[in-house]
Amino acid sequence: MKIGIISDIHSNSEALNSVLENIKEVDEFICLGDIVGYGADPNYCIEKIKGLNCRCIGGNHDFAITGKVNINYFNYAARAAILWTSLQLKKENFNFLLNLRKKIKLKDNVFAVHGSPQDPLLEYILDKDTASFIFSKYDFKIYFIGHSHLAGCFSFNEDNNKIDYNNFSNGGYVEISKNKRYIINCGSIGQPRDGNPRASYGIYDLKYNTVNIYRVSYPINLTKGKIINAGLPGSLADRLSYGR
Ligand code: ZN
């Protein structure tokens, strides 16, 4: 059983299509949220996700569109994109965002959430102190997260209480160990921020107990042109080239 893990698509249809073409032989997809926001193809991306028939979590951008997250949490460019997106969305796609869940259970002690178990929509797990708190407060083997757009893995060793972080900005591999617990971010499809502009996704193999992170190139200039033509802030196009 293999699960494709996709997150933070942010209305980037070129990146989403390149990833879906690249993923071979998964039994199921899960989507960790932020289907929309920032990019120029919100309806297309929602419809593509609907077509995967996958379990899907809502992210802070998805829930800002539906009024469940206050728009004042966002910076100027993000706010502009949220307002623009809400004008573009078809009714049925708005309703799809409205009904997204906040958490997925993949199997015993393996879960997925957009931000963190403590605050599913808004908290970023960016450092070992925050990860340490989450490992101590919540009972889990693996938590898959999105939200930061940084592909990487925090692991907690139960034998010596040591926390490690592995950066997966160029892809990577986790072999799930008996004595460790994990918080894994498979990265962002539509707006990577770890210095690598290529789209990021993961495959969780339940038979072999591994997680692989892959990076895929896509036609970035096409995506940037659509953002500019839509009248969205130019910074949202520029940052795609740098993966920041
Ligand atoms: Zn996001």
Side-chain angles (χ1 to χ4, degrees), residues 74-133:
F74 297 84
N75 64 31
Y76 164 77
R79 257 197 332 263
I82 288 164
L83 294 172
W84 179 87
T85 303
S86 37
L87 296 174
Q88 311 298 317
L89 280 191
K90 297 177 194 167
K91 180 84 180 143
E92 64 265 29
N93 292 337
F94 177 91
N95 287 340
F96 179 79
L97 297 183
L98 199 59
N99 291 317
L100 293 174
R101 65 190 93 193
K102 287 188 182 167
K103 182 176 168 181
I104 294 171
K105 180 176 179 178
L106 283 89
K107 63 175 218 177
D108 279 348
N109 273 327
V110 178
F111 306 95
V113 76
H114 183 67
S116 101
Q118 176 167 249
D119 184 343
L121 291 177
L122 296 173
E123 186 175 41
Y124 290 94
I125 303 178
L126 296 172
D127 53 53
K128 288 183 182 175
D129 284 348
T130 311
S132 169
F133 177 77

Side-chain angles (χ1 to χ4, degrees), residues 8-10 33-34 38 60-61 114 147-149 188 191 193:
D8 295 278
I9 295 149
H10 286 296
D34 279 0
Y38 298 134
N60 48 323
H61 288 254
H114 183 67
H147 194 41
S148 70
H149 302 203
S188 164
Q191 194 200 74
R193 294 176 192 162

Side-chain angles (χ1 to χ4, degrees), residues 5 13 35 43 57 68 97 99 113 127 137-138 141 149 160-161 196 224 239:
I5 297 174
S13 61
I35 304 169
N43 284 302
I57 294 167
K68 289 181 182 174
L97 297 183
N99 291 317
V113 76
D127 53 53
K137 191 171 171 194
Y138 295 89
K141 179 72 179 176
H149 302 203
N160 58 15
N161 288 348
N196 181 347
K224 289 171 69 175
R239 63 187 302 171

Side-chain angles (χ1 to χ4, degrees), residues 168-187:
F168 292 146
S169 58
N170 284 306
Y173 176 77
V174 185
E175 204 162 335
I176 306 299
S177 307
K178 276 212 162 58
N179 62 335
K180 289 185 181 175
R181 300 163 60 209
Y182 301 87
I183 299 169
I184 301 174
N185 191 324
C186 296

